[in-house]
Amino acid sequence: MEASDGTTPLPVNHKFSTNDVILITLQPGGSGDFFGTASLPNHKDATSVEARVLNTGPTYIDVAMLGGAFESAFGPAPNNSSPSGRGDPRIRLRADRFFSNVPYLRMVSALGKLTSLPDRPVASTKPRIGEEDKANPKEREANHGPKIQLDPVIRDAIISTYGLSDDDIWRQSNNCDVHDIAKRISSAPFPKSVFLANQVLGFIQSNPGNLFRTFNGPQLKAIGAALTRKMTMIHGPPGTGKTSVAGAIAFGFVHQCRNLSPEMKVLACAFSNVGADNLAEEIKSLGLKVIRVGKASGVSEALWDITLDAAIDRDPEARKALQDAATATANLRMAQQHKSSAGRGNSASANNYKRDTATTAVKAAIEACRVAATRALREADVIVSTSIGAADARLLAACGIKTEEELEEAISLGSPASKKTEALRNVLAPDGLPALTLPFTIVDEACQSVEPGNLIPITASDSCRALVLLGDPCQLPPTVKTDTSGTGSSPLSQSLMTRLAYALPQPVIMSGQSDSTIKDETFLNAKPTRQAVSLVNYMSKITAAENNQIEVSSSYRKKFSGSLLLSLQYRMHPSISAFPSAVFYDGMLSTPSFLSSMRTFPRGLAKMFPCEDGSLGVRFVDVGGRSNERRGQSEARALTESRALSNSGEGVSSYSNEAEAKEIIEMLKTLFRQSTAATVPNSIGIVTPYSAQVALILSKLAADKELAELRRFLPNTSIEVKSVDAYQGRERDIIIVSCVRSNRNGRIGFLTDWRRMNVALTRAKTGLIIVGDRSTLNACGDKHWGALVKWCDGVGCVFPSSVKPQD
């Protein structure tokens, strides 16, 4: 059915959402052939191009793809403005959601590289970087051989600790000596590393021009350790300045690169595109030159100028080669479409010529782009990508690494198969200069990625000599769809950092300055907090006894001793951080005292929920009911839920809670009525574990006219509604947590994941409001939720719902 403007609306149940990877396929047979075998993307003769969804609307889907890819595959587009002219407006294309196998293949390759037998050492009289820092630069340039390879100590630490049981870790093990591994990874990656690190630490502490944030004692110790060890794990709880620490480490690694070799670069990765963008912005703010590697559609628009694609686009030779390739392939496509109009012999001859021309032009464009990319990477100090993106073909080419296709081609052209290992690394980069190496690797968000994903930046360039993993094992683990229980029972649910931090003993690091920060531990040491910890420990013993198990300590000191803890948080008011610190971080997460006066509870909320202790920043609103939850897709969800939520995998199993949604809307209206532009919070986040509840709250926000009118007078206050998983890494002035579950059986589903609970409770800066059914949470038998309810009772912050049941 067409709209009045001639456009056709998209199906209401389409599954396309922002950032989806899709496959666009030419439909030569027209719409009637849409489901024909020849029109399917997996047909051997199908013409398809990978793209990414930018946005969707009622009648359109905006997509992005590599420059020239559309014209190369399908010919000019109908709105084409390049010299090749406009294409056929009748062209029909099919779009399918597509799950690229590139991440899988890269993870398999990383596993293969890590577990393959190392090459037999070859005696050489020529010095190698890392063994002799005084190597003659001219001799290095003439040698062009492999300079640096993956440090075997890093390989041993990863492989030999895999599969250790709890007993193996805490007693002498026949499988491996974890203390010997810990000693070996504590050695310096290069002979000059300690000397150069001390120079950087002195510079950071002098902080000329306020280039750096002021670092506390634990942060300085972590930076110093990372710059002087072969492997360092840094545990960064919420608000502890993990990204700032990562930026300072990158700064120190760049200093080592500049003093060791011009071919050395720093590789900084994160699990997500957002995390990689944050890293790039932090490192760029320190005056370092950053190149962001990755698909343009996945990179923040503000960072386009520093992307590798932008650098290639600025290169005149690469731009011309791409245009030539697009024109040649477009001509070939048009010739194939009109081959029936000429004589058979002449048409075949012309097509062969155009095919050869197009093939030559495409190969020339690929080579020109690689040269341009290598030039840009050579000028950079730090290369930033996602963990999967660390195996980008252009980056590997600059490092002299051949792809499997190039390797097979080299062998087919006469290179003996027995020399496959040597052929895997070129003597030169595409620009004709010595290949780059990536001896310093930083991996942020290391606990969010499956272990094979973490291995990609470590193994891709075969040159890692110093590895830094940053993350928080106490927040959300990697998402593994086959782990339907949500308990982390799948082997892939445990990240590399979590496993190593558990397996290795506490690192011994060089002494640093003691921390002089004055801390506010009033709420942390209060009686309700101590009682909450006691309850968690008691319930752990009861559970272990009921299951005939030996109780395993869940304390931070034992579970993650192999990492360095950033123990001072700057996000939350001390009262907000007290419970998470005591229960999830063994009381080791402290708050500077100045945050007590900076993070005051908003006046409007304090009027709504007055506490005896006016400094308390937490409230629990008891909606009650014991039967408010609803399972399945509500009408509101079907009408208003974003496409991203419908792809969450929950389907009809998602839960919603109408009473909690109404309570939140009334709370927001009351807050806005009692606030002015000077007193209203700048940002409000509504967090809930279930996508159906996200959709329900969004629909009520959109439908409430009174709330919309109140917000019109307070335009600077943002309201964001997202799932707990989507809020990891985010923060807001006010966080409202909708718990959703409300039943007489005490079932709370995957709320029992303590890491998800930790994320929900640690996003707020000035005020945390928990909206839930107190009776259900108290009766669920979960030790953490039971302890939280007891803590709220103890501090006196529980309030009844303001919404009447008949409402």
Side-chain angles (χ1 to χ4, degrees):
M1 184 178 70
E2 290 190 355
S4 58
D5 59 354
T7 59
T8 303
L10 295 176
V12 294
N13 61 340
H14 79 80
K15 300 295 183 180
F16 296 112
S17 60
T18 301
N19 220 28
D20 271 352
V21 178
I22 65 173
L23 207 61
I24 297 177
T25 308
L26 182 66
Q27 300 291 289
S31 60
D33 224 13
F34 188 80
F35 294 103
T37 303
S39 296
L40 295 178
N42 58 357
H43 191 272
K44 62 182 180 65
D45 296 326
T47 302
S48 299
V49 175
E50 183 179 330
R52 190 174 290 268
V53 176
L54 293 180
N55 195 14
T56 63
T59 61
Y60 64 87
I61 301 174
D62 283 337
V63 303
M65 62 185 71
L66 292 176
F70 186 96
E71 191 165 349
S72 298
F74 310 126
N79 61 345
N80 181 53
S81 58
S82 70
S84 53
R86 295 179 180 271
D88 187 350
R90 297 169 299 175
I91 186 173
R92 302 189 68 91
L93 301 172
R94 168 184 176 134
D96 293 88
R97 289 185 68 202
F98 174 66
F99 296 93
S100 173
N101 66 345
V102 170
Y104 168 78
L105 294 176
R106 290 181 180 179
M107 287 189 277
V108 170
S109 176
L111 284 168
K113 290 179 181 178
L114 186 76
T115 56
S116 62
L117 293 174
D119 298 336
R120 180 178 297 174
V122 180
S124 175
T125 58
K126 295 182 178 181
R128 293 175 58 172
I129 299 174
E131 298 174 356
E132 178 55 64
D133 288 324
K134 296 181 180 180
N136 188 327
K138 293 183 178 179
E139 185 178 351
R140 289 204 313 269
E141 191 171 333
N143 187 28
H144 293 331
K147 310 176 188 73
I148 302 174
Q149 289 183 312
L150 174 65
D151 195 309
V153 175
I154 298 176
R155 181 197 300 266
D156 291 347
I158 296 173
I159 294 177
S160 60
T161 56
Y162 189 83
L164 289 180
S165 67
D166 295 342
D167 291 338
D168 288 329
I169 294 171
W170 304 112
R171 62 175 175 81
Q172 185 64 33
S173 171
N174 295 324
N175 296 329
C176 74
D177 187 342
V178 293
H179 295 284
D180 177 64
I181 292 174
K183 182 179 179 181
R184 291 164 63 199
I185 64 174
S186 66
S187 58
F190 297 102
K192 281 187 177 181
S193 290
V194 175
F195 171 74
L196 296 172
N198 286 331
Q199 287 184 333
V200 170
L201 288 171
F203 182 81
I204 288 176
Q205 290 176 283
S206 64
N207 201 6
N210 294 321
L211 181 62
F212 299 93
R213 295 177 175 87
T214 301
F215 292 114
N216 57 48
Q219 290 173 329
L220 286 173
K221 287 182 180 179
I223 295 168
L227 297 179
T228 55
R229 292 163 48 92
K230 293 184 178 180
M231 180 188 289
T232 307
M233 289 171 286
I234 300 175
H235 185 166
T240 54
K242 179 168 55 70
T243 303
S244 299
V245 169
I249 293 170
F251 186 91
F253 280 157
V254 168
H255 182 62
Q256 294 194 39
C257 289
R258 291 175 177 176
N259 283 272
L260 294 176
S261 168
E263 287 89 47
M264 284 185 175
K265 303 296 175 183
V266 179
L267 175 63
C269 302
F271 165 71
S272 65
N273 275 304
V274 173
D277 289 346
N278 291 339
L279 264 182
E281 289 174 347
E282 179 67 28
I283 296 170
K284 184 172 177 284
S285 71
L286 299 178
L288 301 176
K289 186 162 186 180
V290 178
I291 284 289
R292 174 71 165 89
V293 176
K295 290 186 177 181
S297 58
V299 180
S300 168
E301 188 175 339
L303 295 176
W304 165 252
D305 287 341
I306 65 170
T307 61
L308 188 59
D309 290 300
I312 294 172
D313 190 54
R314 288 191 294 265
D315 188 282
E317 296 177 11
R319 192 162 58 247
K320 182 179 183 303
L322 285 170
Q323 183 58 55
D324 291 344
T327 301
T329 52
N331 290 339
L332 174 62
R333 174 69 58 190
M334 294 174 65
Q336 290 173 338
Q337 291 173 350
H338 296 89
K339 62 182 179 180
S340 59
S341 61
R344 186 171 183 180
N346 292 335
S347 176
S349 175
N351 283 345
N352 289 337
Y353 172 76
K354 290 183 177 180
R355 183 179 297 106
D356 292 342
T357 301
T359 300
T360 301
V362 169
K363 287 184 176 181
I366 293 173
E367 187 59 28
C369 288
R370 286 191 174 185
V371 171
T374 302
R375 289 172 182 161
L377 293 168
R378 196 176 294 281
E379 294 175 359
D381 295 313
V382 183
I383 299 164
V384 179
S385 72
T386 61
S387 298
I388 300 297
D392 185 281
R394 299 164 298 181
L395 175 57
L396 296 187
C399 294
I401 304 292
K402 287 184 177 179
T403 64
E404 286 294 329
E405 292 79 5
E406 291 172 326
L407 183 61
E408 295 301 329
E409 182 179 357
I411 293 174
S412 67
L413 292 176
S415 177
S418 60
K419 294 186 176 181
K420 186 173 181 177
T421 301
E422 293 99 305
L424 196 58
R425 180 181 286 272
N426 290 320
V427 294
L428 295 173
D431 62 353
L433 297 175
L436 302 179
T437 56
L438 307 174
F440 301 103
T441 301
I442 301 169
V443 182
D444 195 6
E445 301 180 332
C447 295
Q448 293 177 243
S449 171
V450 294
E451 183 162 341
N454 281 147
L455 298 180
I456 294 174
I458 300 172
T459 62
S461 69
D462 191 34
S463 58
C464 179
R465 307 291 294 184
L467 172 64
V468 180
L469 300 174
L470 301 101
D472 185 1
C474 297
Q475 294 189 59
L476 289 175
T479 300
V480 180
K481 289 193 174 182
T482 54
D483 183 16
T484 55
S485 65
T487 59
S489 57
S490 168
L492 287 174
S493 296
Q494 187 178 54
S495 68
L496 174 65
M497 177 177 167
T498 302
R499 182 173 68 78
L500 291 177
Y502 188 26
L504 297 174
Q506 186 172 354
V508 178
I509 61 174
M510 63 180 184
S511 59
Q513 290 184 348
S514 59
D515 186 64
S516 58
T517 304
I518 301 174
K519 307 175 184 67
D520 184 340
E521 299 182 343
T522 305
F523 292 97
L524 184 60
N525 296 326
K527 182 179 178 180
T529 308
R530 297 198 306 270
Q531 289 176 332
V533 173
S534 298
L535 179 60
V536 169
N537 294 336
Y538 172 74
M539 294 182 71
S540 296
K541 292 179 181 179
I542 295 296
T543 302
E546 289 176 348
N547 296 325
N548 295 319
Q549 297 174 341
I550 299 175
E551 184 193 3
V552 179
S553 172
S554 59
S555 69
Y556 166 83
R557 288 181 177 87
K558 182 170 182 178
K559 290 190 71 172
F560 312 117
S561 60
S563 60
L564 299 172
L565 179 68
L566 303 179
S567 57
L568 274 168
Q569 69 86 20
Y570 297 88
R571 173 185 296 169
M572 299 168 275
H573 184 274
S575 62
I576 301 175
S577 67
F579 181 87
S581 174
V583 174
F584 303 127
Y585 298 100
D586 211 15
M588 299 175 69
L589 185 61
S590 301
T591 304
S593 59
F594 66 83
L595 281 184
S596 300
S597 57
M598 286 184 60
R599 302 283 195 248
T600 56
F601 197 66
R603 190 181 307 170
L605 291 174
K607 291 180 180 179
M608 295 167 58
F609 308 112
C611 277
E612 184 177 343
D613 185 347
S615 65
L616 187 67
V618 182
R619 303 291 189 273
F620 188 106
V621 180
D622 182 16
V623 175
R626 296 301 297 272
S627 60
N628 291 329
E629 67 181 38
R630 294 292 180 268
R631 188 176 187 177
Q633 190 171 24
S634 66
E635 181 181 359
R637 181 185 181 192
L639 292 174
T640 64
E641 184 177 9
S642 69
R643 304 300 177 186
L645 292 174
S646 65
N647 297 332
S648 65
E650 288 184 65
V652 296
S653 66
S654 190
Y655 287 85
S656 62
N657 189 313
E658 182 83 13
E660 290 185 14
K662 288 182 178 179
E663 176 66 38
I664 291 170
I665 298 300
E666 291 302 317
M667 187 188 306
L668 291 174
K669 289 195 289 189
T670 304
L671 172 63
F672 289 149
R673 290 191 203 105
Q674 299 180 355
S675 301
T676 64
T679 61
V680 72
N682 290 327
S683 58
I684 299 173
I686 303 174
V687 186
T688 180
Y690 293 96
S691 66
Q693 185 71 353
V694 173
L696 180 61
I697 294 172
L698 284 172
S699 68
K700 289 188 175 298
L701 282 173
D704 197 296
K705 296 180 179 180
E706 181 186 355
L707 180 59
E709 185 66 19
L710 290 168
R711 291 184 66 185
R712 192 168 66 86
F713 294 100
L714 301 168
N716 295 327
T717 298
S718 64
I719 301 177
E720 185 178 54
V721 187
K722 288 187 177 294
S723 67
V724 175
D725 299 50
Y727 247 103
Q728 179 151 310
R730 293 168 173 263
E731 64 181 22
R732 290 293 181 267
D733 292 325
I734 299 295
I735 286 290
I736 303 172
V737 180
S738 175
C739 299
V740 178
R741 300 309 298 268
S742 172
N743 55 75
R744 298 185 181 279
N745 300 315
R747 293 193 301 263
I748 61 171
F750 71 135
L751 261 69
T752 55
D753 187 339
W754 63 274
R755 292 161 298 192
R756 182 171 278 106
M757 179 183 182
N758 183 30
V759 171
L761 299 181
T762 54
R763 304 300 101 194
K765 294 194 288 186
T766 63
L768 170 66
I769 302 176
I770 304 163
V771 180
D773 185 338
R774 179 183 177 280
S775 298
T776 297
L777 296 175
N778 200 33
C780 66
D782 180 77
K783 58 186 178 182
H784 296 109
W785 283 103
L788 177 63
V789 171
K790 185 176 182 63
W791 183 85
C792 291
D793 284 336
V795 298
C797 69
V798 179
F799 292 83
S801 172
S802 62
V803 178
K804 296 179 181 180
Q806 60 266 29
D807 289 347

